[in-house]
Amino acid sequence: MSRKTRMQRLCALAQLVCERDMARLNRLNAACTHTREKLARLRADQPPSPDAAMFAVQQAHMRWVSTQQMRLNITLAGQRAAALEQRARTARSFGRAQVAARLLDGACKTPKR
């Protein structure tokens, strides 16, 4: 196998890894956005009702909302941590793909021995 063929394969493989990592990062960012949207929908506060029964229902709902917000905040923290880790992997694979492409261009331009 010639040097140029090996470099072409290396470049293609590096590009595939980069595309895979970018897709993973996009999925993680979409999950974070979805969780943030869920949190935003939970923040709809209502004024307290003068009716005692309705006030009790509102209090129960506020406890439920508080629990859901805590759960979603924990989920969001995990998603953001995973996205940050994936961002570093994506940056590394992107850099490798760029270097492989430059090496391939250089391999094509260098005279054969």
Side-chain angles (χ1 to χ4, degrees):
M1 184 181 315
S2 71
R3 180 173 184 245
K4 182 179 177 183
T5 304
R6 284 190 311 221
M7 287 304 300
Q8 287 172 336
R9 288 183 178 182
L10 177 66
C11 188
L13 182 61
Q15 186 62 38
L16 286 173
V17 170
C18 182
E19 289 172 6
R20 179 205 61 192
D21 287 345
M22 284 186 183
R24 285 180 180 171
L25 182 60
N26 287 337
R27 280 193 305 274
L28 288 169
N29 285 334
C32 287
T33 300
H34 182 68
T35 303
R36 278 192 217 103
E37 289 170 354
K38 282 182 173 181
L39 272 167
R41 286 193 300 265
L42 284 175
R43 299 185 200 274
D45 294 326
Q46 294 183 2
S49 174
D51 181 34
M54 188 59 159
F55 183 75
V57 169
Q58 286 177 330
Q59 290 298 315
H61 178 70
M62 286 175 28
R63 282 191 301 275
W64 177 83
V65 166
S66 177
T67 303
Q68 293 302 310
Q69 286 175 334
M70 285 187 283
R71 184 183 62 80
L72 288 171
N73 279 324
I74 290 169
T75 300
L76 182 59
Q79 290 170 335
R80 292 197 58 184
L84 285 173
E85 289 175 8
Q86 184 60 43
R87 183 177 177 199
R89 281 192 291 272
T90 302
R92 195 168 35 253
S93 66
F94 180 79
R96 287 177 179 162
Q98 292 295 311
V99 168
R102 286 183 187 155
L103 287 173
L104 179 62
D105 288 342
C108 293
K109 294 177 185 174
T110 57
K112 291 186 178 182
R113 294 181 190 180

